[in-house]
Amino acid sequence: MRITSTSCICPVLVCLCFVQRCYGAAHHNSIKVTRNQTKHIEGETEVHHRPKRGWVWNQFFVLEEHMGPDPQYVGKLHSNSDKGDGSVKYILTGEGAGTIFIIDDTTGDIHSTKSLDREQKTHYVLHAQAIDRWTNKPLEPESEFIIKVQDINDNAPKFTDGPYIVTVPEMSDMGTSVLQVTATDADDPTYGNSARVVYSILQGQPYFSVDPKTEHYQLYVPESAQVGSAVGKIKANDADTGTNAEMKYTIINGDGIGVFSISTDKETREGILSLKKPLNYEKKKSYTLNIEGANTHLDFRFSHLGPFKDVTMLKIIVGDVDEPPLFSMPSYVMDVHENEKIGTVVGTVAAQDPDSANSLVRYFIDYSSEDDRYFNIDANTGTIKTAKVLDREETPWYNITVAASEKDNPSLLSHVVVGIRVLDVNDNPPELAKEYDIVVCENSKPGQVIHTISATDKDDFANGPRFHFFLDEGLALNPNFTLKDNEDNTASILTRRRRFSRTIQDVYYLPIMISDGGIPSLSSSSTLTIRVCACERDGRVRTCHAEAFLSSAGLSTGALIAILLCVLILLAIVVLFITLRRSKKEPLIISEEDVRENVVTYDDEGGGEEDTEAFDITALRNPSAAEELKYRRDVRPEVMLTPRHQPSSTLESIDVQEFIKQRLAEADLDPSVPPYDSLQTYAYEGHRSEAGSISSLDSATTHSDQDYNYLGDWGPEFKKLAELYGELESERTS
């Protein structure tokens, strides 16, 4: 890239300011309009109308430094009630009324009698009143208006410092910054061009030049600006493009370091000035910052053309904003005694307008409901007074919120919490802590403590304990009981005689007195009820009124409980016995004989099929031997069946299988059998087989034609068997 001489000029800083060009900067950009206004050109009047009232006035501006021989005309007050007959009288009060400003009480014309200086006082607050000239009664409510002093160019600009002595290196490039100078003008910067400063060089041309509009940058920031918000922008121009034009902004010095900060917007290449701490016009009205803008991408081939940065001075003007009143304390705590009469002074709060105008402040209590109006406050002095009689025992502490506003701007409010502590006075007598149930035993002895009582007091501890207990001296001496003060806020009840009888008297009454330790002391009387009861030897109460009939029978409580338990146990046994009897079931076999008695055991092995001596097996071989039907012995039949006679047949014609089926059918169809299974035994083996017996027991008596020689061919495992059968065969042969 080819660098020309014009491209080597350092960046020039340009300031973009947020400026409010209006009188009395609006708080948070919010303006509450209370009058219709029409602004005219300079020198003409400004008319204000109040539709809700009958006032009409004009000329709210008065030129400063008026040097004419006659008083300067300011404006005219007029009421709709004025018919022009002179019956209306106009009265003017407020700042400068009667000394600087005078009013014709008939026409309402206002004139200024003195030359005013805007640099000393910018405006005046006055009040107008229209009354009936003959009765002095007000025709219109008092109204407030402001007369502003209009600026004229009567102040020359002045350099804040000087003379200036600077040095400049030789061979400096054209456009090198040498010095920044600052001049200020005391005239109104918001009106006209009276405060506008234009710079020019009287000597030193053509070597040096000055920018007539920007030798320094000025930024207006209202004191109501929020911390962290952007308050202005600043931009340096660079003839390069792209990355070569990128730059960074830095605050290098000035009294605004720590109050303001600057960041770089990479898109717009602007420096964003932000607020770090809150501003206060009344404490500091301006700040000065030296801001540097420097390229971030440098090409060292052209370093000799540098330094590729520039510095400018930024002056920040803090704008005055109408702020709400400020209380002298963040919170208040006040004391007042209870039972004080209405109107008693509790305390005073104080608030002040922090603005330079120092407007008057009005106070009021911010009530949440009508029931909370226990206090009033003087609107002008801030003095708080009681509106009701207070009771500490009902409410010992009150929290109220007091608000303060400026008279000139009631919309700006500030609040503070006021805590009111109600102090105690001794207005409550002591009383017994509770209702006592006092018992005296019939076997009591003289001087025996039967109970201990205590007292309580609704008042604070300073007017309550220590309590004193005593008997009423105006009554006769009680022969039965006495009272002893234990000097620890308790008292003991003691007996004065031996033995008491319920049959003679079962209840006694003991009047007592209790006093507190307050000043003056208060006392109260109470009556204790003492019952006579029968007691055990260890002092435990056995019985009183309702249980007297049991004592005559000589039964104690323990004996009654034992008797009751015995009765309950007997009842439980009877119920259990009846339950067991009802739950007992009938036996399954009701016969006199037990079926188990029919089981016969034999220990001999018998002689096989040929053995018939042990028992008669005729019945087994011939089932028809049973001539009549045998009834089952496991149940007692209710219905007697007619015996069935089977036709006679020989043993060879009997079919055992058919016989078993018949018996099974009879058992299934017999209505006298129970619904459970029973054992039926049939041991008949049937007729002999034509093949004869296959039992091995007969094999020893017959000769076999079997040849066992083949066993020798089966191997050594059957050698012994082959030898055995071989020997048997040889014996048979021999």
Side-chain angles (χ1 to χ4, degrees):
M1 181 179 67
R2 183 179 179 182
I3 305 297
T4 62
S5 60
T6 57
S7 65
C8 298
I9 299 176
C10 296
V12 178
L13 297 177
V14 178
C15 179
L16 304 178
C17 304
F18 298 148
V19 182
Q20 284 184 313
R21 296 183 56 83
C22 62
Y23 178 78
H27 185 65
H28 298 295
N29 298 330
S30 176
I31 303 177
K32 185 177 181 180
V33 179
T34 57
R35 295 188 285 269
N36 298 326
Q37 300 182 357
T38 303
K39 187 67 179 281
H40 297 272
I41 61 174
E42 181 177 353
E44 294 186 2
T45 61
E46 180 176 296
V47 181
H48 294 252
H49 299 285
R50 290 180 178 261
K52 293 184 179 180
R53 296 180 178 178
W55 284 108
V56 178
W57 61 76
N58 46 18
Q59 189 65 32
F60 279 89
F61 293 88
V62 58
L63 289 175
E64 68 171 341
E65 306 294 345
H66 178 71
M67 304 301 294
D70 299 325
Q72 183 181 3
Y73 181 78
V74 177
K76 183 182 183 65
L77 299 179
H78 181 75
S79 173
N80 291 341
S81 302
D82 191 352
K83 305 301 181 181
D85 56 358
S87 61
V88 178
K89 182 179 180 180
Y90 297 95
I91 300 175
L92 186 67
T93 59
E95 295 179 334
T99 56
I100 299 176
F101 303 100
I102 59 175
I103 188 172
D104 188 327
D105 62 353
T106 302
T107 62
D109 293 331
I110 302 175
H111 291 80
S112 173
T113 61
K114 294 183 180 181
S115 177
L116 304 179
D117 188 355
R118 191 205 67 84
E119 285 70 33
Q120 293 183 359
K121 190 170 181 62
T122 60
H123 67 281
Y124 295 83
V125 179
L126 296 122
H127 297 83
Q129 179 77 51
I131 65 173
D132 190 291
R133 186 181 297 275
W134 316 117
T135 63
N136 290 331
K137 293 183 178 180
L139 300 176
E140 300 286 351
E142 185 181 89
S143 182
E144 178 183 283
F145 63 97
I146 297 175
I147 299 178
K148 295 175 57 177
V149 181
Q150 196 169 22
D151 181 54
I152 63 173
N153 192 9
D154 59 343
N155 291 279
K158 296 180 180 180
F159 287 96
T160 56
D161 299 315
Y164 299 93
I165 300 176
V166 296
T167 60
V168 58
E170 63 177 346
M171 301 301 294
S172 295
D173 294 333
M174 184 180 297
T176 300
S177 179
V178 177
L179 176 68
Q180 289 181 335
V181 296
T182 303
T184 59
D185 195 318
D187 291 326
D188 188 1
T190 64
Y191 182 78
N193 296 322
S194 300
R196 182 180 179 184
V197 178
V198 179
Y199 298 90
S200 62
I201 293 180
L202 301 179
Q203 296 179 358
Q205 294 176 339
Y207 303 102
F208 299 95
S209 65
V210 64
D211 192 308
K213 297 181 179 179
T214 61
E215 189 49 37
H216 75 276
Y217 303 98
Q218 184 169 308
L219 179 65
Y220 175 86
V221 180
E223 62 176 336
S224 60
Q226 298 296 316
V227 174
S229 62
V231 295
K233 297 180 180 180
I234 192 169
K235 186 174 183 179
N237 293 326
D238 194 329
D240 293 326
T241 60
T243 58
N244 293 327
E246 293 181 358
M247 62 187 69
K248 181 181 179 181
Y249 299 91
T250 308
I251 300 176
I252 55 177
N253 55 47
D255 60 355
I257 294 179
V259 181
F260 299 91
S261 63
I262 193 169
S263 60
T264 304
D265 189 334
K266 294 182 179 181
E267 298 294 332
T268 62
R269 297 173 183 171
E270 294 176 333
I272 309 299
L273 198 68
S274 301
L275 186 63
K276 294 179 63 177
K277 293 182 179 180
L279 302 176
N280 191 329
Y281 173 83
E282 287 70 32
K283 292 184 178 180
K284 190 170 180 62
K285 296 179 174 58
S286 65
Y287 294 89
T288 301
L289 297 175
N290 290 325
I291 300 177
E292 178 186 82
N295 288 125
T296 56
H297 298 280
L298 299 178
D299 192 336
F300 293 101
R301 295 176 299 171
F302 308 105
S303 60
H304 63 283
L305 301 176
F308 299 98
K309 62 182 178 180
D310 196 10
V311 178
T312 188
M313 183 177 67
L314 175 63
K315 185 175 183 180
I316 300 175
I317 305 300
V318 180
D320 186 17
V321 176
D322 196 5
E323 299 175 281
L326 182 64
F327 282 95
S328 60
M329 298 176 62
S331 62
Y332 294 84
V333 176
M334 303 175 182
D335 296 332
V336 62
H337 284 90
E338 64 175 334
N339 300 333
E340 293 287 352
K341 62 180 181 180
I342 297 177
T344 301
V345 175
V346 179
T348 302
V349 298
Q352 188 177 7
D353 182 11
D355 300 321
S356 57
N358 195 18
S359 301
L360 296 178
V361 177
R362 298 181 66 86
Y363 305 91
F364 60 92
I365 298 178
D366 188 5
Y367 286 109
S368 59
S369 65
E370 293 294 332
D371 297 334
D372 296 333
R373 297 183 180 273
Y374 288 93
F375 304 94
N376 293 325
I377 189 170
D378 190 286
N380 298 317
T381 64
T383 301
I384 300 175
K385 299 180 180 180
T386 59
K388 294 181 180 180
V389 177
L390 306 180
D391 186 1
R392 189 203 68 87
E393 288 72 38
E394 180 179 349
T395 307
W397 187 278
Y398 292 89
N399 287 321
I400 62 174
T401 301
V402 176
S405 65
E406 297 180 12
K407 263 190 172 182
D408 300 337
N409 192 354
S411 61
L412 294 179
L413 297 175
S414 58
H415 300 82
V416 69
V417 176
V418 179
I420 301 176
R421 179 172 46 226
V422 182
L423 302 179
D424 183 50
V425 297
N426 193 18
D427 59 344
N428 290 280
E431 55 188 14
L432 288 175
K434 62 179 182 179
E435 293 185 3
Y436 290 97
D437 183 16
I438 304 176
V439 173
V440 60
C441 295
E442 290 182 319
N443 57 357
S444 297
K445 300 178 181 179
Q448 181 176 345
V449 177
I450 61 174
H451 210 89
T452 301
I453 61 174
S454 60
T456 185
D457 197 323
K458 295 180 180 179
D459 291 324
D460 199 4
F461 64 91
N463 293 315
R466 149 160 174 19
F467 299 121
H468 300 274
F469 300 84
F470 54 93
L471 297 177
D472 191 354
E473 297 178 353
L475 300 177
L477 181 64
N478 193 308
N480 302 309
F481 305 97
T482 186
L483 183 68
K484 178 185 177 182
D485 192 339
N486 297 326
E487 298 183 356
D488 59 354
N489 297 322
T490 65
S492 299
I493 309 298
L494 292 82
T495 58
R496 296 178 63 95
R497 65 183 181 87
R498 184 185 304 272
R499 299 191 64 84
F500 293 84
S501 175
R502 288 176 297 154
T503 58
I504 299 176
Q505 185 174 350
D506 58 351
V507 176
Y508 292 87
Y509 299 98
L510 180 63
I512 63 171
M513 301 289 293
I514 310 173
S515 63
D516 58 24
I519 300 176
S521 178
L522 297 179
S523 62
S524 65
S525 61
S526 300
T527 300
L528 300 176
T529 301
I530 305 174
R531 296 186 301 147
V532 181
C533 296
C535 303
E536 303 290 349
R537 291 185 177 181
D538 57 1
R540 291 183 294 115
V541 176
R542 186 175 67 202
T543 180
C544 288
H545 303 286
E547 299 176 354
F549 72 95
L550 296 176
S551 299
S552 61
L555 296 177
S556 63
T557 304
L560 291 175
I561 295 175
I563 294 173
L564 181 60
L565 289 176
C566 292
V567 173
L568 292 176
I569 292 173
L570 292 176
L571 289 176
I573 292 174
V574 172
V575 172
L576 181 61
F577 179 75
I578 295 174
T579 303
L580 291 176
R581 291 201 59 181
R582 288 182 178 179
S583 62
K584 187 176 180 181
K585 297 181 179 179
E586 294 294 335
L588 296 178
I589 301 175
I590 60 176
S591 175
E592 296 179 358
E593 298 181 1
D594 193 348
V595 71
R596 291 173 296 181
E597 296 177 356
N598 295 329
V599 178
V600 180
T601 303
Y602 301 94
D603 294 333
D604 55 338
E605 296 183 357
E609 296 179 357
E610 302 298 333
D611 187 3
T612 59
E613 296 180 358
F615 58 89
D616 185 8
I617 62 172
T618 303
L620 295 179
R621 292 184 180 274
N622 186 10
S624 61
E627 297 179 358
E628 59 182 0
L629 180 62
K630 301 295 183 181
Y631 296 102
R632 296 175 58 174
R633 304 181 63 188
D634 55 348
V635 296
R636 186 183 301 272
E638 297 180 358
V639 180
M640 300 301 292
L641 296 179
T642 304
R644 295 182 182 179
H645 297 278
Q646 298 292 339
S648 60
S649 61
T650 63
L651 292 176
E652 288 77 9
S653 63
I654 292 298
D655 187 352
V656 177
Q657 183 177 5
E658 185 66 25
F659 171 77
I660 293 175
K661 290 183 179 180
Q662 291 178 2
R663 290 302 187 192
L664 179 59
E666 292 176 1
D668 291 339
L669 299 176
D670 189 357
S672 63
V673 299
Y676 47 82
D677 296 335
S678 61
L679 180 63
Q680 300 291 335
T681 303
Y682 302 97
Y684 178 67
E685 295 184 358
H687 300 287
R688 287 181 179 269
S689 173
E690 295 179 358
S693 175
I694 62 174
S695 174
S696 61
L697 299 178
D698 294 338
S699 62
T701 60
T702 62
H703 298 283
S704 175
D705 296 335
Q706 181 71 30
D707 185 7
Y708 295 100
N709 292 330
Y710 66 88
L711 294 176
D713 299 334
W714 285 9
E717 292 85 356
F718 297 93
K719 181 179 181 180
K720 189 68 176 176
L721 184 62
E723 292 177 354
L724 178 61
Y725 278 90
E727 294 177 355
L728 294 176
E729 185 65 27
S730 62
E731 290 179 357
R732 293 173 184 169
T733 304
S734 59

